[in-house]
Amino acid sequence: MTVILREIVDSDLPIFFQHQQDQGAVHMAAFTSKDPADEAAFNAHWAKIRALDGVINRSIEVDGKLAGHVASFEMFGERNVTYWIGREFWGQGVATAALRELLNIDATRPIYGRAAKDNSGSIRVLEKCGFVFVMEDKGFANARQAEIAEVVLKLD
Ligand SMILES: CC(C)(COP(=O)(O)OP(=O)(O)OC[C@H]1O[C@@H](n2cnc3c(N)ncnc32)[C@H](O)[C@@H]1OP(=O)(O)O)[C@@H](O)C(=O)NCCC(=O)NCCS
């Protein structure tokens, strides 16, 4: 299996939109947009983040197939990473390989990752890439309509 990152192209967006129609994945990620089914809001969000300087967004390809995306961006004055993999590609090390590659592209350190405290898959991805637990936080999770525990991990 070969995992590569490449620039995002317009035709990737409908696939990312499909990925966020996966209710289980949305629950897992928790800190999602208000309404993942709102395609206009999705398109507006992507138009905005693709135009921002300082956001590194990449599509993830597995053996030539689009599997998801990975990104780094500034939040509260800190560099953060995020990723989303389509369910058909889960459990094969794709997120870990993609995040490792992104960390080669973005050399900013420290760099942070946040996940819902119960998103063990995402936390494990961060740990496998060398991130360590820093603190627990709380935040309003749109997907759960509640304030939930969040963990913050850091890579120096
Ligand atoms: C979380 C997510 C990125 C994991 O992607 P993936 O490609 O399956 O992850 P990997 O195959 O690289 O797995 C890395 C590690 O996490 C573990 N893992 C993956 N999913 C898991 C899950 N649901 N529960 C527990 N462990 C999990 C794997 O076993 C592996 O650990 P190991 O090598 O010690 O066995 C993927 O499920 C996803 O995109 N979910 C929806 C969106 C999301 O939650 N994004 C992150 C927001 S913070």
Side-chain angles (χ1 to χ4, degrees), residues 25 28-29 83-85 90-96 114-115 119-122 124-125 128:
M28 195 175 170
Y83 33 83
W84 194 301
I85 311 298
W90 287 7
Q92 303 170 59
V94 174
T96 306
R114 287 173 167 260
N119 190 348
S120 31
S122 184
R124 188 79 190 110
V125 169
K128 290 188 80 173

Side-chain angles (χ1 to χ4, degrees), residues 23 26-37 45 116 138-148 150:
Q23 305 289 321
V26 168
H27 181 83
M28 195 175 170
F31 300 99
T32 56
S33 60
K34 280 199 180 110
D35 178 7
H45 170 76
K138 269 186 188 164
F140 186 81
N142 282 325
R144 317 252 182 113
Q145 283 299 297
E147 188 170 88
I148 63 164
E150 179 178 26

